[in-house]
Amino acid sequence: MSEILPRLPVKCVGRAKKVCKEWLSCISSKEFVMMHCRHMCKGSRQKILSTGQESCFIYSTGVDLVDEKTMITLPFHVRPSDVWILSSLNGLLCVCLRNTFEMLIWNPLIRSCINISDSKSYGFFKIYSDAVGLYIDSSNDYRVLHIKHGRFTVDVMAYSRRTSHWKRIPFLQKRHYHTNGYVWSGGTICEDGLYFTVFQFWLAGDIVIIRFDVNTETFSEIGFPYVGNVMGL
C-alpha cells in the first residue's frame, strides 16, 4: 500500500479513497501527500498549473501531451486571479489569498490544502516586503520559511508541515537591508540551500544574496556577482 498508492495518477487516488477506511486514512495522511508529490514530479509526470481570471487548469508536460489539460476547482472561496503563488516544491504550492493575505499550502493535484495562518498573526503575507520559500529540512519535514521585513527589522518564521506549528529562526543582525527601500525575491531551493536576492527598490544600489541552510537553519550573506554597468539592467 505504501509503495503502490503514492504512484497512482490523481484520478485513481481519488477513487482509491472510497475503497475502505484504511485506504482513506492512508491517503489523507501528511506522509502520503509528501510521497505522492515526489512521485508526481518525476519525468513526464510533471504538470503545469495555469490560473486565469475565472478558471484554473493543470497541463501535462511532454510533446505528446501538450494539449492535455484538466480544469480544477479551487479548495478556497476566491477567484483564481485572487490567488498569489509564493513558492513551490515537489508539487506543493505556498499561496496567498489576495482578500485576506492568509497563506496556505496547496496540493492542486489531489485538491488538498491547509491554512497556515493563525491567531498570533503568523502566516499572513505582506506584498512588496515579505519573502517566502519552501524547503525540506534534515528530518524530511516540509517547511515554509516566511521572512517578514518590517520598518527596521527582519523577522523570520518557519512553519512545519509535520507539527502544524510556527517557530522563530534567528536572522543576521545589523545589516543595511533591514531598513526601508529593499525588496526580497522569492526563495530558490538548490541542494541544501534556500537562496534569496535582496536589492534596493528605488535606487540601482546594493544587491546581495542571502542563503538559508535548510539543515542547520542558519543564514549567511553572499556577495552578488559583479555584472558591470550594463544598459537596460
Side-chain angles (χ1 to χ4, degrees), residues 10 19 40 65 85 98 103 117 120 142 170 174 176:
V10 176
V19 172
M40 286 295 101
L65 301 173
I85 299 177
R98 181 180 295 183
M103 291 167 52
S117 60
K120 297 181 180 179
Y142 277 78
K174 297 181 180 180
H176 56 282

Side-chain angles (χ1 to χ4, degrees), residues 174-206:
K174 297 181 180 180
R175 296 299 197 272
H176 56 282
Y177 41 80
H178 283 202
T179 60
N180 292 337
Y182 285 86
V183 176
W184 289 65
S185 72
T188 300
I189 192 73
C190 182
E191 295 183 350
D192 57 353
L194 190 60
Y195 295 84
F196 300 86
T197 302
V198 185
F199 58 94
Q200 284 183 291
F201 183 72
W202 297 110
L203 302 173
D206 294 334

Side-chain angles (χ1 to χ4, degrees), residues 158-171:
Y159 178 85
S160 167
R161 180 71 177 85
R162 182 175 297 156
T163 66
S164 301
H165 287 95
W166 289 91
K167 74 172 184 179
R168 189 175 299 277
I169 294 180
F171 186 66

Side-chain angles (χ1 to χ4, degrees), residues 30 33-34 37 49 75-76 83-97 101-117 123 132-135 141-146 158-166:
K30 298 177 181 179
V33 172
M34 291 192 295
C37 284
L49 178 69
F76 18 84
V83 179
W84 292 324
I85 299 177
L86 306 178
S87 184
S88 65
L89 180 64
N90 293 345
L92 284 182
L93 302 178
C94 182
V95 302
C96 172
L97 306 185
F101 302 104
E102 294 171 294
M103 291 167 52
L104 303 94
I105 298 178
W106 176 32
N107 185 336
L109 293 178
I110 61 174
R111 319 295 197 267
S112 174
C113 78
I114 57 171
N115 191 323
I116 62 175
S117 60
V132 168
L134 278 166
Y135 68 98
D141 181 19
Y142 277 78
R143 290 181 177 268
V144 178
L145 189 73
H146 184 194
Y159 178 85
S160 167
R161 180 71 177 85
R162 182 175 297 156
T163 66
S164 301
H165 287 95
W166 289 91

Side-chain angles (χ1 to χ4, degrees), residues 126 128-131 146-155 176-184 198:
K126 187 177 181 181
Y128 302 128
S129 64
D130 291 2
H146 184 194
I147 299 175
K148 305 176 67 174
H149 188 200
R151 189 173 181 181
F152 296 104
T153 61
V154 174
D155 294 323
H176 56 282
Y177 41 80
H178 283 202
T179 60
N180 292 337
Y182 285 86
V183 176
W184 289 65
V198 185

